[in-house]
Amino acid sequence: MGSPLQVGAPIIERKIGYDGKLVEHHCRLLKAGVEDVVLFHRIKDAFTMTTNQSSLTIPEGSYTLAHYWKDRAYNVYIWRDHRGEYLGSYFNIVRNTNINNEVVSFEDLIIDVLVFADGKASVLDEEELPVSMEEFENGYVLEELQLLVDSLGGFLPKLISETRVHFPHDDLLGWLSDSKGRREVSEQQDEI
């Protein structure tokens, strides 16, 4: 990431949608590694994610601990409520994750995985694909999705546990009241 940033430093998350639209969120840095980063986002407005089987509401005042890796085909948001209780997780299938001192950016490949607090997982947004999952991005997304789903049982509980240890809720309380949070600041056409 160049010169090291301080924990708590402001940083932007930039999602480049498959349609080229940019969505940016103001975040705070929790951890910066050579190949990975963890950001904090405060949830300003409640939202609900719905699957065929169930729904998950992330209430206002909750927060995200977002993990990004340069060498993985996904990132993950771990959601906690205002008391620090785990609510669920959300994986984006991505490519071209870039990390620097000011921005964490990634190209979103439409397909997401929602994991409920009980561990049940649902694949989202397949209906948004321009072609079948097998054809989309020459099968890359399907392959990475299968690898992710196959590894969730061992990988996600460990990550949730590590997140609790390294980023305890009490250490984040000040950011819940004064953070600009996860706020859309722009939505524009990407010129890449």
Side-chain angles (χ1 to χ4, degrees):
M1 286 187 60
S3 62
L5 284 173
Q6 296 291 330
V7 169
I11 192 165
I12 299 290
E13 179 207 62
R14 178 176 296 141
K15 178 176 88 169
I16 304 166
Y18 199 75
D19 60 1
K21 289 185 180 176
L22 298 181
V23 178
E24 294 185 345
H25 296 99
H26 289 272
C27 307
R28 291 185 186 254
L29 180 73
L30 288 175
K31 174 191 169 231
V34 174
E35 297 292 320
D36 66 324
V37 67
V38 181
L39 304 182
F40 171 91
H41 311 255
R42 183 175 63 90
I43 305 299
K44 185 177 176 185
D45 299 309
F47 62 93
T48 299
M49 305 197 73
T50 303
T51 69
N52 292 339
Q53 302 88 12
S54 193
S55 64
L56 173 62
T57 297
I58 307 299
E60 176 183 343
S62 300
Y63 58 96
T64 304
L65 301 172
H67 297 255
Y68 310 84
W69 298 269
K70 288 182 178 180
D71 63 348
R72 296 188 190 180
Y74 59 83
N75 57 41
V76 62
Y77 303 146
I78 295 175
W79 289 311
R80 292 183 187 166
D81 69 14
H82 69 282
R83 295 180 315 266
E85 296 300 317
Y86 174 68
L87 297 171
S89 298
Y90 184 83
F91 289 83
N92 293 292
I93 303 295
V94 302
R95 67 177 165 208
N96 297 327
T97 300
N98 291 297
I99 301 169
N100 65 47
N101 287 344
E102 298 168 1
V103 177
V104 174
S105 68
F106 60 92
E107 294 176 24
D108 184 54
L109 295 175
I110 303 174
I111 297 298
D112 306 305
V113 178
L114 176 63
V115 182
F116 294 89
D118 66 4
K120 291 181 182 165
S122 291
V123 176
L124 303 176
D125 304 329
E126 192 169 353
E127 72 284 355
E128 295 178 19
L129 296 177
V131 294
S132 73
M133 179 81 83
E134 294 75 18
E135 295 174 280
F136 184 61
E137 291 292 318
N138 296 316
Y140 170 78
V141 171
L142 178 59
E143 181 180 326
E144 292 300 333
L145 174 65
Q146 289 173 333
L147 290 171
L148 173 62
V149 169
D150 289 347
S151 69
L152 276 179
F155 166 70
L156 185 57
K158 182 179 176 194
L159 184 62
I160 293 166
S161 177
E162 289 173 359
T163 300
R164 275 197 193 285
V165 170
H166 296 295
F167 313 112
H169 176 69
D170 289 346
D171 290 356
L172 305 173
L173 287 174
W175 292 353
L176 287 175
S177 59
D178 72 356
S179 172
K180 289 182 181 176
R182 186 178 181 130
R183 180 172 54 114
E184 186 172 313
V185 294
S186 73
E187 194 170 297
Q188 58 194 14
Q189 282 300 108
D190 177 32
E191 298 178 8
I192 294 178

